[in-house]
Amino acid sequence: GVTGEATVIIQGLGIGMISCVPPVLIIVATILGTNALAGAYGIAIAAVGMLSTLGVTLATDAYGPIADNAGGIAEMAHLDERVRGVTDALDALGNTTAATGKGFAIGSAVLTSLSLLAAFKDKSGLNASGLSLDIGDPIVLSGVLFGSMLPFLFAALTMLSVQKAAGAIIVEVRRQFATIDGLMDGTAEADCAKCIEISTQSSIEEMILPGLYAIMSPIIIGLLIGPAALAGMLGGSIATGMMLAIMMSNAGGAWDNSKKYIEIEGACGGKGTSTHKACIVGDTVGDPFKDTSGPALNILIKLMSMISLTMAPMMKDYNETWKYWYYGLIPIAITVLGTVVVYHLYWKNPIDISAPVVSDKEEVSKEEVPEAV
């Protein structure tokens, strides 16, 4: 953070990317070892073994938000600075425990998806249909490329959703500062319910498109092309989904803890310095990374695997590609229609971000402040 916001972002991304190496090596060794010992059954049991630590994983995941909320309550209640210092230290530890819990979730999601993929091959008749699963087959490779794109699309949609909701809340906060007398000097109460309403409403509206794409993608590929392309799609989504989830979770934790380190230890001049402000920018980017898009990718790969396994018996007659391609036009039409409807309802009208920033030295008339969307 000493050299500015840009280098904070660059270093955080680098840390997130390099953090993919140890988990991937461990997962690969686990897959190879369990497969050598007991085949696909061994991989499934390894997934069950990771899921058996659910109690510890939930505890480590819950620790961070509890400590973070305690710090927020201490600040709103104007408690002694010593209390806030303790909660900040606990919150920094919570970021690390949460990253550990997310690692377990990502690893178990990959192993579970591999087991579901093996079950899909069996239930769809791929092993007996004569269709090739060779990675050099254009059909399979096309499915791999399409599946590799889906985690990036899913992550992009969730990141943009956070940006839209955050922008709407910023506009609302600026409006309240400009229109509620006494709010700037602390003698009036803010309308917190409005910000909560914006956040909760956005969290529901903005999940329609990601959910639609996650459900419809395997149905489209499976019905339109066939089970071989769908198996390739699942393989591609598992591979890139794991990489992206690890990178986003660990990069977000690194950005958050860099800010906490300056605040708790007083490093680089402590709070209020340009270094601290640069790390705050990194933390702002890291929150949707580690709390929204990263954990959501686990759900994406498991959901698509489950949907593929559910529809696998329907594809037992697909002994050649493109055999019943016309059935694939139905989910395509549903996806296009859903995209158009969501765009016109929630994405077409941009958020008005022209609300002025109110400082102690300027006054803003109520007529100049737009209403929050």
Side-chain angles (χ1 to χ4, degrees):
V2 176
T3 51
E5 294 87 349
T7 50
V8 170
I9 302 298
I10 292 171
Q11 185 171 1
L13 288 174
I15 290 173
M17 291 176 186
I18 203 170
S19 69
C20 295
V21 177
V24 169
L25 294 178
I26 294 172
I27 290 295
V28 168
T30 302
I31 293 172
L32 294 177
T34 52
N35 182 68
L37 291 172
Y41 177 75
I43 298 175
I45 291 300
V48 172
M50 290 195 71
L51 291 173
S52 66
T53 61
L54 180 63
V56 177
T57 305
L58 288 177
T60 55
D61 279 339
Y63 181 89
I66 292 173
D68 196 3
N69 285 350
I73 293 171
E75 187 169 351
M76 289 186 292
H78 304 291
L79 298 181
D80 189 80
E81 280 294 323
R82 180 182 60 83
V83 178
R84 182 61 181 171
V86 172
T87 57
D88 282 345
L90 294 176
D91 188 23
L93 176 61
N95 290 331
T96 305
T97 59
T100 305
K102 289 167 187 171
F104 274 95
I106 295 166
S108 63
V110 171
L111 294 178
T112 302
S113 299
L114 282 177
S115 302
L116 294 174
L117 178 57
F120 165 77
K121 288 171 56 182
D122 181 60
K123 292 295 183 181
S124 64
L126 262 176
N127 295 328
S129 64
L131 293 176
S132 172
L133 282 180
D134 183 4
I135 193 65
D137 187 325
I139 298 297
V140 178
L141 184 58
S142 297
V144 171
L145 292 176
F146 183 82
S148 300
M149 172 272 298
L150 288 176
F152 289 91
L153 173 63
F154 198 79
L157 290 173
T158 51
M159 291 287 288
L160 290 173
S161 299
V162 172
Q163 179 268 326
K164 285 181 62 183
I169 291 175
I170 290 172
V171 170
E172 172 61 22
V173 169
R174 291 176 177 176
R175 185 192 67 81
Q176 291 190 25
F177 273 130
T179 57
I180 299 178
D181 296 331
L183 189 59
M184 289 294 293
D185 53 19
T187 58
E189 290 290 332
D191 183 9
C192 301
K194 182 62 178 177
C195 293
I196 297 173
E197 178 186 344
I198 293 172
S199 179
T200 51
Q201 183 176 351
S202 297
S203 66
I204 297 173
E205 294 173 351
E206 299 296 331
M207 286 300 102
I208 297 176
L209 274 187
L212 179 67
Y213 294 155
I215 293 172
M216 287 299 172
S217 293
I219 298 176
I220 291 173
I221 297 299
L223 296 181
L224 185 67
I225 305 177
L230 181 52
M233 190 203 79
L234 293 177
S237 63
I238 291 170
T240 59
M242 177 184 177
M243 301 303 121
L244 202 56
I246 294 173
M247 187 275 289
M248 298 182 96
S249 296
N250 290 335
W255 280 320
D256 196 350
N257 275 356
S258 67
K259 184 197 72 169
K260 285 289 191 300
Y261 177 69
I262 291 175
E263 293 175 349
I264 297 172
E265 300 295 332
C268 303
K271 292 184 180 181
T273 61
S274 59
T275 303
H276 182 231
K277 293 177 182 177
C279 290
I280 289 176
V281 173
D283 181 38
T284 305
V285 177
D287 280 340
F289 261 54
K290 66 183 177 65
D291 296 328
T292 305
S293 297
L297 293 174
N298 304 328
I299 302 170
L300 173 70
I301 60 177
K302 286 192 284 189
L303 178 61
M304 291 197 301
S305 299
M306 286 298 300
I307 292 173
S308 301
L309 180 59
T310 302
M311 62 181 291
M314 299 170 52
M315 294 184 283
K316 278 198 171 182
D317 295 333
Y318 282 66
N319 51 12
E320 61 183 58
T321 56
W322 305 99
K323 185 174 182 180
Y324 301 111
W325 61 269
Y326 39 85
Y327 288 133
L329 300 179
I330 299 174
I332 289 177
I334 295 173
T335 304
V336 172
L337 178 62
T339 302
V340 172
V341 170
V342 171
Y343 172 77
H344 281 280
L345 287 178
Y346 307 125
W347 287 75
K348 185 178 181 181
N349 300 319
I351 296 175
D352 185 358
I353 58 173
S354 59
V357 180
V358 183
S359 66
D360 295 334
K361 298 181 180 179
E362 59 184 355
E363 295 290 335
V364 179
S365 64
K366 296 183 180 181
E367 290 77 12
E368 296 177 351
V369 182
E371 290 292 326
V373 177

